């Protein structure tokens, strides 16, 4: 339940940063009617199609960003462990750059700069997906590296002593053990990636938050709609966190 | 004289500034059992690990039969590091057993044993399983074939590790303090298995602190100290009348 509360808090924070419609003035005007506020949750039901549309967009962005993140992250993690400086240094630079700057800054930077630098026009959705994918790659890369490094050196010794090459040892001995340790942090990262899709609203991507804001503009029902939005995210994310905790506990028992 | 199976010439190794092996010479003939003794930190493990190139030696040569371990001689006589595939291939000819067993924890005992034969040597799975079962029977682990390493005692784990090394049909077995991590009551079962290998004429190098084992089983004993081969001789000579004061001192300390 703590995670749910945390998710909600994150959402409110994102909301506070990303919602220009809720200017200070509106909040100051709110109190008189606040006490005897009548909730109209049927509005959420009426516009459920909008939420579904937003949720699908959120899921799509998350899916592709995860795919980019895993593929690139695996490569980055391997490169960063390499003994060859020409592989190690760029990977380290990339990872630390993405870990030490705000995601929102990364997303708007990619949205505005990448088309100019590459000459490729891309939609705001594609741009945000790539941005989150690169961001995820940095974190997945570190999870991968930490997982591989956590395997005892004796396992490498034993694998090499029976004549395994680096690739064979990695694939047969090291990764199968490391993946178990990587799954809990990976799921954490995945859950936070879902939440980060809300930053797409900053460049008008029609994910859940942006759809909600549009809806509020039409209905003037921010409380109901943001409540529904929070519930939607909790419903998306909590099962993942729950599954991860279960998995972790089961593996702890088996060890 | 029989040609040496393993030949070490002036082997030297540095860890950074630390000169760990200061020029070791050694000839081991086929079927010989060599015990390496000496104080902790004298370079015994490092020398053993140089033999199958788990450590890269910096100077000198190690030969397995007529193959140079880890390096290639170029036309001008200089040594260049060998390719990864050839280094891996030469390792399959030597079995190694570690102090900490290093079984693969995500695999059953049987899977541990057939991993090398099937993945590295690409032998048929059925044939590998058959051989593994025979080997596990031999080390007394028939009942534990499907067990995972974490459920085994230290002695059982080490015997499984010996079976894993033997499954590659190695020409030489290298043991690095195979009983040092074991509870005293489990030492005997592992030493018995190692002893039984001498019956097949297996060539073995055993780094050990078990002096009675060295005395009873080894053909020769090599005493190392401070990266140097202090002396190498028949066990009777080493244990009753060593040529060097350092050996006598060491034996006095450990046999007390
Ligand atoms: N990977 C390593 N890096 C740095 N120093 C090492 C490493 N392995 C061993 N040494 C050092 O080399 C010396 C010899 O070690 P080792 O061969 O393990 O001795 P022994 O097996 O005889 O106890 C010791 O001083 C040890 O600290
Ligand atoms: Mg040692």
């Amino acid at each position: 339940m703590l995670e749910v509360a945390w998710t909600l808090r994150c959402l409110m924070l994102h909301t506070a940063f990303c919602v220009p419609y809720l200017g200070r003035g509106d909040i100051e005007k709110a109190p008189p009617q606040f006490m005897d506020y009548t909730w109209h949750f049927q509005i959420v039901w009426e516009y459920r199609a909008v939420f579904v549309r937003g949720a699908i967009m959120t899921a799509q962005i998350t899916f592709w960003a995860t795919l980019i993140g895993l593929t690139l992250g695996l490569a980055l993690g391997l490169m960063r462990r390499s003994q060859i400086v020409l592989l190690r240094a760029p990977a380290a630079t990339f990872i630390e750059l993405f870990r030490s700057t705000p995601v929102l800054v990364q997303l708007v930077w990619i949205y505005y700069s990448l088309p100019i630098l590459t000459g490729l026009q891309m939609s705001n959705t594609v741009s945000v997906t790539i941005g989150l994918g690169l961001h995820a790659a940095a974190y997945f890369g570190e999870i991968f590296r930490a997982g591989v490094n956590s395997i005892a050196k004796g396992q490498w010794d034993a694998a090499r002593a029976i004549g395994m090459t680096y690739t064979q040892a990695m694939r047969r001995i090291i990764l199968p053990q490391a993946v178990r340790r990587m799954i809990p942090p990976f799921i954490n990262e995945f859950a936070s990636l879902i939440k980060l899709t809300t930053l797409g609203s900053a460049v008008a991507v029609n994910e859940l938050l942006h759809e909600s804001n549009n809806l509020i503009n039409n209905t003037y029902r921010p409380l109901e709609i943001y409540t529904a939005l929070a519930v939607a995210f909790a419903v998306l994310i909590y099962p993942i966190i729950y599954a991860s905790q279960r998995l972790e506990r089961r593996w702890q028992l088996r060890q | 004289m029989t040609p040496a199976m393993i030949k070490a010439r002036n082997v030297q190794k540095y860890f950074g500034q630390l000169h760990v092996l200061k020029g070791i010479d050694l000839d081991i003939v086929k079927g010989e059992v060599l015990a390496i003794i000496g104080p902790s930190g004298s370079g015994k493990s490092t020398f053993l690990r140089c033999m199958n190139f788990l450590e890269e030696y910096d100077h000198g040569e190690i030969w397995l039969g007529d193959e140079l371990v880890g390096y290639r001689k170029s036309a001008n006589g200089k040594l260049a590091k060998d390719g990864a595939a050839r280094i891996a291939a030469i390792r399959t000819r030597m079995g190694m057993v570690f102090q900490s067993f290093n079984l693969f924890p995500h695999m059953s005992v049987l899977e541990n044993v057939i991993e090398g034969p099937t993945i590295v040597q690409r032998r048929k799975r059925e044939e590998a399983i058959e051989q593994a079962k025979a080997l596990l029977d031999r080390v007394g682990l028939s009942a534990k074939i499907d067990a995972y390493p974490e459920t085994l005692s230290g002695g059982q784990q080490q015997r499984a590790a010996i079976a894993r090394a033997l499954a590659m049909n190695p020409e030489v077995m290298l043991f690095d303090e195979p009983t040092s991590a074991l509870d005293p009551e489990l030492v005997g079962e592992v030493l018995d298995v190692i002893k039984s290998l001498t019956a097949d004429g297996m060539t073995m190098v055993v780094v050990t602190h078990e002096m009675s084992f060295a005395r009873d089983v080894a053909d020769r004993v090599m005493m190392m100290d401070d990266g140097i081969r202090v002396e190498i001789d028949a066990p009777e000579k080493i244990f009753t009348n060593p040529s060097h004061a350092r050996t006598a001192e060491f034996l006095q300390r450990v046999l007390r």
Side-chain angles (χ1 to χ4, degrees):
Chain A
M1 282 327 277
L2 230 134
E3 271 297 331
V4 175
W6 192 76
T7 309
L8 293 178
R9 247 196 25 231
C10 280
L11 267 170
M12 322 250 313
L13 271 175
H14 287 168
T15 308
F17 283 122
C18 308
V19 189
Y21 317 96
L22 256 184
R24 271 191 83 83
D26 299 335
I27 293 174
E28 273 159 16
K29 265 180 260 155
Q33 64 190 109
F34 203 80
M35 299 303 286
D36 46 14
Y37 186 83
T38 356
W39 295 83
H40 285 288
F41 271 114
Q42 62 271 30
I43 201 135
V44 173
W45 180 248
E46 259 169 57
Y47 286 98
R48 61 192 179 276
V50 177
F51 282 96
V52 170
R53 205 166 63 203
I56 289 172
M57 178 60 87
T58 291
Q60 276 174 350
I61 295 174
T62 308
F63 175 82
W64 290 109
T66 306
L67 210 65
I68 296 172
L70 278 179
T71 322
L72 187 60
L74 186 78
L76 284 170
L78 276 177
M79 284 165 69
R80 203 172 181 186
R81 290 189 79 259
S82 170
Q83 302 191 351
I84 304 161
V85 181
L86 275 175
L87 293 176
R88 196 172 60 228
T93 310
F94 180 97
I95 288 172
E96 297 313 336
L97 201 66
F98 272 89
R99 294 207 314 162
S100 55
T101 49
V103 197
L104 186 55
V105 174
Q106 292 163 17
L107 293 185
V108 293
W109 191 89
I110 285 169
Y111 179 68
Y112 290 109
S113 315
L114 214 55
I116 298 170
L117 291 176
T118 62
L120 292 171
Q121 269 314 313
M122 46 185 137
S123 74
N124 44 9
T125 309
V126 170
S127 159
V128 162
T129 306
I130 291 175
L132 286 176
L134 297 181
H135 170 83
Y139 281 83
F140 288 158
E142 280 302 277
I143 291 172
F144 179 80
R145 184 170 73 114
V148 168
N149 285 352
S150 75
I151 303 304
K153 192 175 152 287
Q155 292 292 306
W156 284 102
D157 283 346
R160 290 197 296 160
I162 56 171
M164 285 190 167
T165 60
Y166 173 85
T167 317
Q168 285 173 329
M170 193 59 128
R171 191 168 53 82
R172 301 280 313 173
I173 309 301
I174 306 301
L175 275 185
Q177 297 180 61
V179 159
R180 282 184 165 204
R181 299 179 192 193
M182 282 160 16
I183 282 178
F186 165 75
I187 289 176
N188 273 340
E189 213 31 64
F190 180 70
S192 94
L193 193 59
I194 300 178
K195 292 179 268 191
L196 287 176
T197 57
T198 51
L199 294 180
S201 62
V203 289
V205 170
N206 285 321
E207 44 65 58
L208 267 173
L209 176 60
H210 200 253
E211 289 280 16
S212 301
N213 286 333
N214 290 343
L215 202 54
I216 289 163
N217 277 350
N218 293 331
T219 60
Y220 307 105
R221 283 282 164 193
L223 279 179
E224 286 85 350
I225 287 165
Y226 282 142
T227 306
L229 177 64
V231 169
F233 268 103
V235 165
L236 274 178
I237 292 170
Y238 184 69
I240 297 167
I241 289 169
Y242 179 73
S244 142
Q245 285 167 346
R246 283 287 301 269
L247 208 63
E248 224 170 322
R249 212 165 308 147
R250 223 180 57 206
W251 281 347
Q252 258 165 18
L253 288 180
R254 272 205 43 191
Q255 264 167 15
Chain B
M1 206 188 108
T2 7
M5 167 136 235
I6 294 182
K7 214 162 51 181
R9 289 291 174 273
N10 192 20
V11 172
Q12 300 195 33
K13 168 76 185 170
Y14 291 84
F15 283 118
Q17 296 293 309
L18 193 66
H19 202 178
V20 176
L21 299 177
K22 300 176 179 168
I24 309 274
D25 292 301
L26 180 64
D27 284 272
I28 303 170
V29 295
K30 192 165 170 4
E32 180 173 9
V33 179
L34 175 78
I36 302 181
I37 61 171
S40 159
S42 58
K44 305 181 299 294
S45 298
T46 305
F47 180 52
L48 199 72
R49 290 164 61 84
C50 283
M51 287 188 198
N52 69 351
F53 215 61
L54 284 185
E55 298 291 354
E56 300 177 16
Y57 50 98
D58 302 308
H59 194 84
E61 295 174 7
I62 295 177
W63 294 79
L64 175 68
D66 50 12
E67 269 197 86
L68 186 58
V69 175
Y71 294 97
R72 212 163 356 95
K73 263 203 175 131
S74 50
N76 58 9
K78 279 205 167 162
L79 297 188
K81 197 173 152 194
D82 220 340
R86 275 207 53 211
I87 293 173
I90 206 164
R91 284 193 187 120
T92 65
R93 297 169 54 193
M94 297 178 260
M96 185 173 243
V97 174
F98 303 89
Q99 182 175 343
S100 49
F101 328 132
N102 299 346
L103 288 176
F104 305 132
H106 57 302
M107 296 180 182
S108 70
V109 167
L110 183 73
E111 288 165 343
N112 265 276
V113 177
I114 65 170
E115 182 70 6
T118 54
I119 301 299
V120 177
Q121 294 178 325
R122 297 183 193 289
R123 279 150 56 190
K124 281 213 186 65
R125 197 179 156 82
E126 302 79 62
E127 184 255 324
I129 290 176
E130 201 144 307
Q131 184 206 15
K133 283 181 173 166
L135 283 170
L136 288 168
D137 185 42
R138 177 173 180 174
V139 301
L141 284 178
S142 285
K144 297 290 183 184
I145 275 186
D146 294 319
Y148 279 80
E150 66 200 0
T151 67
L152 302 182
S153 73
Q156 291 170 329
Q157 287 191 48
Q158 194 60 301
R159 286 183 280 141
I162 293 172
R164 176 178 68 182
L166 290 173
M168 302 293 289
N169 299 320
E171 298 161 43
V172 185
M173 286 286 285
L174 311 173
F175 294 86
D176 189 2
E177 298 198 31
T179 59
S180 291
L182 298 177
D183 293 334
E185 74 271 20
L186 302 176
V187 169
E189 66 189 49
V190 171
L191 291 183
D192 286 344
V193 167
I194 300 174
K195 212 180 293 181
S196 78
L197 298 178
T198 61
D200 315 347
M202 176 63 81
T203 311
M204 294 193 272
V205 184
V206 188
V207 175
T208 186
H209 281 304
E210 297 291 329
M211 293 305 147
S212 57
F213 175 81
R215 189 199 309 246
D216 300 342
V217 180
D219 298 305
R220 284 191 300 165
V221 175
M222 173 164 116
M223 162 76 191
M224 280 183 71
D225 191 15
D226 198 23
I228 285 169
R229 183 185 102 177
V230 176
E231 62 181 302
I232 180 165
D233 220 322
E236 309 83 62
K237 177 78 167 61
I238 296 268
F239 286 105
T240 54
N241 184 23
S243 313
H244 285 77
R246 279 204 262 183
T247 313
E249 267 165 42
F250 171 73
L251 288 174
Q252 206 169 32
R253 242 184 309 132
V254 295
L255 290 176
R256 206 177 20 183

